[in-house]
Amino acid sequence: QVQLVESGGGLVQPGGSLTLSCTVPGFNLDYYQIAWFRQAPGKELEGVSCISAMDGAKYYADSLKGRFIGSRDNGKNTVYLQMNDLKPEDTAVYYCATDLNRSNCQGIGHTSWYNNWGQGTQVTVSS
């Protein structure tokens, strides 16, 4: 197992943008699917997206399509989640996750599919 590290969260005004990063220092993520989940206060984990190995097939929650974009920079061994037109409802702790036996997304997947998680990064959307 590996522990992922998220970064890029912070405070942003409604309508603004943030880009989150996910990496594992010293470990190559290029060959594994990466999922993003988020947890708002008082709510359960919500699937955000899944990005296949080598920047292949991608899936997004229906409510987030067109605003959130996942991508990879294999040279930097980093996975990104670009979040645009942020709304207060997007306020949550965002986690990236992977499983070393999975490489091709077939939907976002359930939380139980992923054995490797980051500690999360806080995103707060407020004026």
Side-chain angles (χ1 to χ4, degrees):
Q1 293 186 327
V2 296
Q3 182 171 336
L4 287 69
V5 179
E6 305 95 341
S7 63
L11 176 64
V12 63
Q13 293 185 338
S17 298
L18 284 174
T19 298
L20 306 182
S21 300
C22 176
T23 189
V24 177
F27 188 87
N28 192 346
L29 293 176
D30 295 349
Y31 305 104
Y32 309 101
Q33 66 184 49
I34 303 295
W36 289 92
F37 294 85
R38 67 183 185 182
Q39 187 166 33
K43 297 184 178 180
E44 63 185 29
L45 283 168
E46 176 188 14
V48 173
S49 70
C50 187
I51 307 167
S52 296
M54 308 306 293
D55 203 25
K58 302 171 186 176
Y59 295 84
Y60 301 91
D62 288 341
S63 63
L64 303 177
K65 288 181 178 179
R67 293 199 299 121
F68 286 22
I69 304 170
S71 63
R72 291 176 179 262
D73 186 333
N74 292 333
K76 296 182 178 180
N77 189 31
T78 302
V79 176
Y80 301 98
L81 181 67
Q82 181 181 338
M83 306 183 296
N84 301 313
D85 191 24
L86 285 163
K87 304 175 181 179
E89 304 88 83
D90 296 318
T91 295
V93 178
Y94 284 73
Y95 302 90
C96 60
T98 193
D99 185 280
L100 300 186
N101 292 316
R102 299 179 185 271
S103 60
N104 298 115
C105 303
Q106 300 182 67
I108 296 174
H110 298 287
T111 58
S112 61
W113 295 8
Y114 301 97
N115 295 328
N116 302 276
W117 293 78
Q119 296 297 314
T121 185
Q122 177 72 49
V123 173
T124 302
V125 184
S126 176
S127 60

